[in-house]
Amino acid sequence: MIPMILKLCVRDKDGKRFFIWLPLFLVWIIILPLLLVPIPFVALAALIMWPSGKGPIILYGYFTIFKMIGCLSGLEINIGSGDSAFFIVLK
Amino acid sequence: MTDERKKILEMLSEGKITADEADRLLSVISKDSGSGSGNVGNKEPKYLRIMVEPGPKSKSPDKVNIRIPLKLIRAGLKLAALIPKSAQTQVNDALHEKGIEMDFSQIKPEDLENIVKQLDDLTVDVEGKESVRIFCE
């Protein structure tokens, strides 16, 4: 499942807080065409590189990127140092 | 409430253990009790948790708490398998310099799957200047 919501929170030493709640499904609508447009070019590059053995790597690598985006849901990074903190969650 | 749960909560209130430790102990107890009555204890872990906290002797207040989906690790490892051989040689050489004898070219996709499967049972606790804990949940 691709992440649909991004929560980002940054707190600096002075206690100032920056919080962002981003509905990623809206971002995906914009990004998805940008990811789909290169597919014919990637396929062409893979075909050209096929004799050298790099074709399957290009194809597999490109689609693994999609898979990795799909697996990002549930990622949580929380880093704190004294009063400052950084927190990011993908849901 | 069972005696074990009571004891954990008492230890938490006395400050002998942290809230995270109490949480883990309570989840272990619920797993144990669940395994006797059903499949609750056999729940497959979905995330790898890495926690770094300052130890008692540490001067640094840095804290890190990362939860990585195991699916992402699987996908990442598959991507790593696509690294060209020339780059793999460089990685091997760099690891050799650090005293780590490992040949990445010998790792096959099925080995990667086994590595991720074995992560389920992984628990690493390192106590030093910083307390490092790695486990699956």
Side-chain angles (χ1 to χ4, degrees):
Chain A
M1 177 91 181
I2 59 168
M4 293 294 178
I5 294 164
L6 170 89
K7 283 183 193 174
L8 175 74
C9 183
V10 181
R11 195 179 64 213
D12 65 13
K13 285 178 184 173
D14 305 325
K16 282 180 190 169
R17 245 179 102 177
F18 169 77
F19 183 81
I20 189 168
W21 183 91
L22 192 69
L24 282 179
F25 53 89
L26 295 175
V27 178
W28 293 134
I29 294 170
I30 301 162
I31 291 176
L32 199 64
L34 295 174
L35 287 170
L36 293 176
V37 164
I39 287 178
F41 300 104
V42 171
L44 188 68
L47 270 176
I48 293 166
M49 301 293 276
W50 205 273
S52 65
K54 286 179 182 172
I57 294 173
I58 292 169
L59 271 184
Y60 189 71
Y62 188 72
F63 289 106
T64 307
I65 292 167
F66 280 95
K67 202 179 173 186
M68 283 185 80
I69 291 170
C71 297
L72 279 172
S73 183
L75 182 73
E76 223 181 84
I77 300 171
N78 189 352
I79 300 166
S81 177
D83 293 331
S84 56
F86 171 84
F87 182 67
I88 187 167
V89 178
L90 287 164
K91 281 185 180 175
Chain B
M1 193 186 294
T2 63
D3 287 349
E4 286 166 316
R5 281 181 179 275
K6 237 180 199 175
K7 204 172 180 182
I8 291 166
L9 293 172
E10 278 171 10
M11 284 163 73
L12 179 64
S13 64
E14 287 164 14
K16 288 179 182 173
I17 55 172
T18 63
D20 287 326
E21 286 168 336
D23 181 40
R24 280 197 68 202
L25 288 169
L26 286 170
S27 64
V28 168
I29 286 173
S30 62
K31 270 184 187 176
D32 287 347
S33 59
S35 61
S37 57
N39 287 333
V40 181
N42 295 331
K43 206 176 170 186
E44 210 172 288
K46 288 183 177 175
Y47 303 103
L48 179 74
R49 175 80 71 174
I50 301 167
M51 295 167 77
V52 182
E53 288 176 349
K57 292 175 186 174
S58 174
K59 290 173 186 173
S60 164
D62 298 349
K63 276 184 186 179
V64 178
N65 186 351
I66 302 173
R67 187 179 78 169
I68 308 163
L70 285 173
K71 279 182 183 176
L72 182 65
I73 296 174
R74 274 196 187 94
L77 283 173
K78 281 176 186 168
L79 197 65
L82 299 174
I83 295 170
K85 282 189 177 175
S86 56
Q88 284 179 6
T89 314
Q90 286 178 354
V91 171
N92 288 339
D93 291 343
L95 286 172
H96 179 73
E97 278 175 27
K98 298 279 179 190
I100 303 165
E101 297 300 334
M102 196 169 173
D103 187 0
F104 273 93
S105 59
Q106 298 295 319
I107 299 175
K108 294 167 190 164
E110 54 265 31
D111 297 331
L112 295 174
E113 191 56 36
N114 281 336
I115 290 169
V116 177
K117 271 185 188 170
Q118 296 308 317
L119 279 177
D120 295 356
D121 302 321
L122 176 84
T123 305
V124 180
D125 283 320
V126 183
E127 293 286 343
K129 272 187 178 178
E130 279 89 24
S131 155
V132 181
R133 304 173 75 202
I134 303 168
F135 56 92
C136 288
E137 57 184 20

